[in-house]
């Protein structure tokens, strides 16, 4: 009997122009949390999709309990005890918790002795038992759409561990969770470990990895770099192995010199009484203004209001002393304001379109000849300029953007807005879900833009990032601005003190 519940040996997978996996490997022990780490594009998700039957391997072999197996699709993976909770949840909000958990495999009974129908009583009884297993005290008949994102994720885990789950893959499970919700997830993981479930944990958050993992495997450029006991690792060691070089500083040196005030917001209030209210602040030329706050502070809502996505009842926006009227995003774009949204996949990239389409879409009027024909040469020049300037890794401008790593998708979105040459850039969580190497490249881009005189407003939930990158930090709590801190004086204590200053 093998000591490993599952092994992946010499796995290779190639897409047009990209070798996603190059003889990668992974070995999972029962009852252990195995972290899988690497930069975006390192091959982590591709390896998991091969394990789960979403991708067909070009080379390699999977073993369960030492025996070779073939996994042709997710149904076969589930039958062999492999379950996966994807980073992007795919709930059916209008259906009940029980219906979501048993989707596609409802328990059946016979009506009149021969007509198969769903056995709702058994489904909801089994759902209650599964929810109890993941410490969730919900009514199985409750509509899923009434739950928070974190509770939906717990339902997904309950769905995954139903049946004979022996391997559970968690892909960036805490990207949208608060600290209390992370702690609750970790308690569920500890319970599953006691049941001898092997857990693959994919995350870019070093503190989580070192806290929850038993073993860590690191990948780079589709290749296996090594596996180590988590207790023997340090953050610096992990970063060095991930990026193949030492990052002596997490943040680049900045040479920007903030100048005169160019962007002003005064008494800005949402149409929603529970959202932002009476917000006033300014941004100087060449300044990086960080925006801090806990979940629910209404930072994103405020920036969407300034960009014309959300309505406001009062307030004034001025650029260089001139009052702006912004009622829709086009108004903001026309005034030289750009916004990189928080949800890269949901409201950022257009996955079915190419890199070139995604970069040029916000500035197509610059690339039209005779008012009707797009100039392909000019668009290709724009793509090449951005590829070089921001080190975007893509086989070509014709590659679908959804095939790029998260970090490279983010660079494409930055390039989209820079094509309009904006003066004010609102960056909402610009490094969410990307690895430490790609983060550094994004930081360098932000620092260079500030040096060029652009005014940057950057929202981030990572305090270290805000403190390391900002000239000033504006702190919000419950829809209000509670204070400003000069960058050189900012630390976690004084930021958190303002972030918890409830009325």
């Amino acid at each position: 009997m093998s000591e490993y519940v599952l092994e992946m040996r010499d796995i290779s997978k190639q897409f047009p122009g990209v070798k996603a996996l190059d003889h990668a490997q992974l070995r999972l022990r029962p009852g252990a949390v195995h972290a899988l780490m690497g930069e975006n594009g390192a091959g982590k998700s591709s390896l998991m999709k091969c394990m789960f039957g979403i991708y067909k391997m070009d080379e390699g072999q999977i073993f369960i309990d030492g025996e070779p197996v073939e996994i042709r699709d997710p149904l076969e993976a589930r039958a062999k005890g492999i379950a996966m909770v994807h980073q992007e949840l795919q709930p059916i909000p209008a259906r009940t918790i029980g219906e979501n958990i048993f989707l596609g495999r409802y328990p059946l009974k016979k009506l009149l002795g021969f007509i198969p129908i769903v056995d709702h009583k058994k489904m909801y009884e089994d759902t209650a038992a599964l929810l109890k297993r993941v410490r969730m005290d919900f009514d199985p008949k409750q509509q899923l759409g009434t739950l928070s994102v974190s509770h939906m994720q717990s339902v997904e885990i309950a769905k995954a561990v139903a049946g004979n789950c022996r391997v559970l893959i968690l892909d960036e499970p805490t990207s949208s969770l608060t600290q209390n919700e992370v702690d609750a997830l970790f308690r569920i993981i500890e319970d599953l470990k006691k049941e001898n479930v092997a857990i693959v944990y994919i995350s870019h958050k070093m503190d989580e990895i070192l806290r929850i993992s038993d073993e860590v495997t690191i990948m780079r450029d589709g290749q296996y770099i090594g596996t180590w006991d988590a207790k023997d690792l340090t953050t610096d060691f992990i970063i060095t192995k991930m990026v193949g070089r030492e990052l002596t500083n997490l943040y680049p040196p900045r040479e920007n010199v903030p100048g005169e005030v160019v962007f002003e917001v005064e008494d800005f209030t949402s149409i929603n009484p529970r959202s932002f209210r009476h917000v006033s602040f300014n941004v100087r030329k060449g300044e990086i203004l960080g925006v801090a706050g806990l979940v629910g502070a209404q930072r994103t809502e405020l920036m969407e209001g300034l960009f014309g996505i959300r309505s406001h009842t009062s307030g004034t926006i001025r650029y260089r002393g001139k009052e702006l009227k912004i009622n829709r995003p086009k108004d903001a774009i026309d005034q030289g304001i750009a916004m990189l949204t928080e949800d890269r996949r949901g409201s950022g990239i257009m996955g079915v379109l190419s890199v070139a389409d995604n970069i040029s879409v916000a500035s197509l009027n610059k690339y039209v000849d005779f008012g009707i024909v797009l100039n392909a040469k000019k668009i290709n020049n724009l793509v090449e300029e951005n590829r070089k300037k921001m080190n975007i890794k893509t086989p070509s401008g014709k590659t679908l953007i959804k095939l790029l790593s998260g970090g490279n998708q983010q660079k494409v979105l930055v390039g989209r807005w820079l094509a309009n040459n904006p003066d004010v850039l609102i960056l909402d969580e610009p490094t969410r879900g990307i690895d430490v190497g790609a983060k550094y490249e994004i930081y360098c881009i932000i620092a260079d833009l500030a040096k060029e005189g652009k005014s940057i407003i950057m929202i981030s939930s990572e305090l270290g990032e805000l403190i390391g990158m900002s000239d000033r930090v504006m702190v919000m709590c419950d829809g209000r601005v509670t204070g400003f801190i000069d960058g050189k004086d900012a630390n976690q204590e004084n930021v958190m003190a303002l972030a918890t200053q409830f009325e």
Side-chain angles (χ1 to χ4, degrees):
M1 187 77 171
S2 172
E3 64 176 303
Y4 302 109
V5 62
L6 185 144
E7 292 179 78
M8 303 184 78
R9 300 179 189 171
D10 294 323
I11 309 297
S12 294
K13 177 65 180 176
Q14 184 144 347
F15 298 102
V18 178
K19 188 156 193 176
L21 296 170
D22 186 5
H23 297 93
Q25 54 186 297
L26 184 69
R27 295 182 177 87
L28 305 178
R29 302 177 192 273
V33 176
H34 197 116
L36 185 58
M37 301 194 70
E39 294 186 270
N40 287 100
K44 307 183 298 297
S45 293
S46 295
L47 188 64
M48 292 302 96
K49 287 176 179 177
C50 288
M51 181 195 296
F52 198 57
I54 298 172
Y55 289 164
K56 178 176 174 57
M57 304 174 297
D58 297 333
E59 298 178 61
Q61 182 69 65
I62 298 175
F63 296 80
I64 294 179
D65 294 327
E67 297 295 323
V69 297
E70 186 175 354
I71 301 175
R72 288 169 289 221
D73 54 50
L75 282 177
E76 201 162 302
R78 287 300 304 262
K80 290 179 166 54
I82 303 168
M84 185 172 183
V85 178
H86 299 270
Q87 180 180 4
E88 302 300 319
L89 301 180
Q90 297 176 323
I92 304 176
R95 309 309 298 176
T96 66
I97 293 173
E99 288 171 320
N100 271 270
I101 286 179
F102 283 96
L103 182 68
R105 51 194 179 90
Y106 296 119
L108 302 175
K109 64 181 180 180
K110 297 290 180 67
L111 179 66
L112 303 177
F114 65 94
I115 303 173
I117 62 172
V118 175
D119 188 340
H120 287 91
K121 183 173 184 293
K122 176 173 172 53
M123 180 178 74
Y124 287 124
E125 286 175 351
D126 290 349
T127 299
L130 286 167
L131 290 174
K132 184 176 180 182
R133 187 178 176 190
V134 294
R135 303 189 183 206
M136 302 303 294
D137 185 22
F138 289 133
D139 179 355
K141 298 179 182 179
Q142 184 176 348
Q143 194 173 349
L144 190 70
T146 63
L147 303 184
S148 68
V149 171
S150 60
H151 289 159
M152 284 187 191
Q153 190 170 61
S154 294
V155 170
E156 282 290 312
I157 292 174
K159 178 179 178 179
V161 300
N164 64 334
C165 176
R166 302 182 65 200
V167 175
L168 175 62
I169 305 164
L170 298 175
D171 190 358
E172 295 285 355
T174 64
S175 59
S176 301
L177 304 188
T178 65
Q179 188 55 55
N180 287 339
E181 291 165 341
V182 171
D183 293 339
L185 173 65
F186 285 178
R187 287 193 292 271
I188 294 171
I189 289 174
E190 289 297 331
D191 291 343
L192 294 174
K193 284 176 64 176
K194 292 173 186 174
E195 298 178 19
N196 256 1
V197 176
I199 297 166
V200 182
Y201 192 92
I202 301 175
S203 177
H204 294 306
K205 298 181 179 180
M206 301 290 178
D207 55 336
E208 290 181 5
I209 292 297
L210 297 177
R211 174 182 168 189
I212 196 68
S213 303
D214 299 298
E215 294 180 297
V216 178
T217 288
I218 296 175
M219 297 179 65
R220 185 170 68 241
D221 297 328
Q223 297 180 328
Y224 171 81
I225 301 301
T227 299
W228 296 266
D229 287 338
K231 60 182 173 57
D232 298 329
L233 299 182
T234 64
T235 298
D236 288 344
F237 179 87
I238 293 173
I239 291 173
T240 300
K241 293 297 181 183
M242 279 174 54
V243 303
R245 62 188 186 281
E246 290 190 25
L247 290 180
T248 52
N249 293 300
L250 288 177
Y251 306 101
R254 296 205 317 277
E255 301 172 8
N256 60 308
V257 180
E260 74 278 9
V261 171
V262 294
F263 187 74
E264 298 173 89
V265 176
E266 185 178 341
D267 197 35
F268 206 63
T269 299
S270 172
I271 196 170
N272 180 354
R274 291 178 294 181
S275 190
F276 57 87
R277 55 197 183 276
H278 307 299
V279 172
S280 298
F281 68 93
N282 61 54
V283 190
R284 293 172 288 172
K285 180 179 180 179
E287 180 183 31
I288 301 174
L289 176 69
V291 184
L294 301 176
V295 173
Q298 303 297 306
R299 297 167 300 164
T300 292
E301 290 79 1
L302 169 62
M303 297 306 154
E304 289 179 346
L306 295 175
F307 196 62
I309 298 174
R310 293 176 183 266
S311 299
H312 62 281
T313 57
S314 65
T316 304
I317 305 171
R318 295 187 184 90
Y319 180 69
R320 295 189 182 277
K322 176 188 174 185
E323 185 172 335
L324 306 181
K325 296 295 183 184
I326 299 176
N327 297 311
R328 53 180 181 164
K330 185 179 185 303
D331 297 335
I333 293 169
D334 290 344
Q335 300 292 344
I337 302 170
M339 182 172 178
L340 187 71
T341 59
E342 171 186 33
D343 186 356
R344 179 172 62 243
R345 291 181 177 86
S347 56
I349 69 167
M350 293 175 282
V352 297
L353 298 182
S354 68
V355 170
D357 291 334
N358 273 271
I359 285 182
S360 62
V361 69
S363 55
L364 284 176
N365 59 317
K366 295 181 179 181
Y367 309 106
V368 176
D369 290 339
F370 312 112
I372 56 171
V373 180
L374 286 174
N375 189 315
K377 184 177 180 181
K378 288 182 180 178
I379 292 174
N380 288 336
N381 289 340
L382 172 69
V383 173
E384 286 306 309
E385 179 184 333
N386 278 279
R387 283 180 67 180
K388 292 174 182 176
K389 183 177 181 179
M390 291 187 285
N391 192 29
I392 299 173
K393 297 175 182 175
T394 176
S396 77
K398 296 180 180 179
T399 302
L400 293 182
I401 192 171
K402 67 182 180 181
L403 299 179
L404 304 190
S405 68
N408 285 302
Q409 290 176 1
Q410 197 76 319
K411 293 178 197 175
V412 169
L413 294 180
V414 173
R416 171 192 295 174
W417 291 116
L418 293 185
N420 276 332
N421 194 29
D423 294 311
V424 179
L425 278 86
I426 301 170
L427 307 177
D428 193 354
E429 302 286 2
T431 66
R432 171 172 287 174
I434 62 177
D435 61 81
V436 66
K439 279 185 178 183
Y440 187 82
E441 293 181 328
I442 295 290
Y443 296 151
C444 289
I445 293 167
I446 294 171
D448 288 343
L449 291 171
K451 183 181 176 182
E452 293 172 11
K454 306 294 185 184
S455 300
I456 312 289
I457 302 172
M458 184 176 79
I459 298 175
S460 178
S461 298
E462 295 187 29
L463 283 183
E465 179 172 276
L466 279 180
I467 293 167
M469 289 295 296
S470 303
D471 297 299
R472 281 187 303 148
V473 178
M474 180 176 81
V475 188
M476 294 185 66
C477 177
D478 194 29
R480 302 169 297 112
V481 173
T482 51
F484 295 85
I485 307 170
D486 195 88
K488 64 179 185 300
D489 300 324
N491 57 51
Q492 295 202 12
E493 289 74 20
N494 56 26
V495 172
M496 285 304 296
L498 290 171
T500 54
Q501 200 175 93
F502 292 90
E503 285 183 323

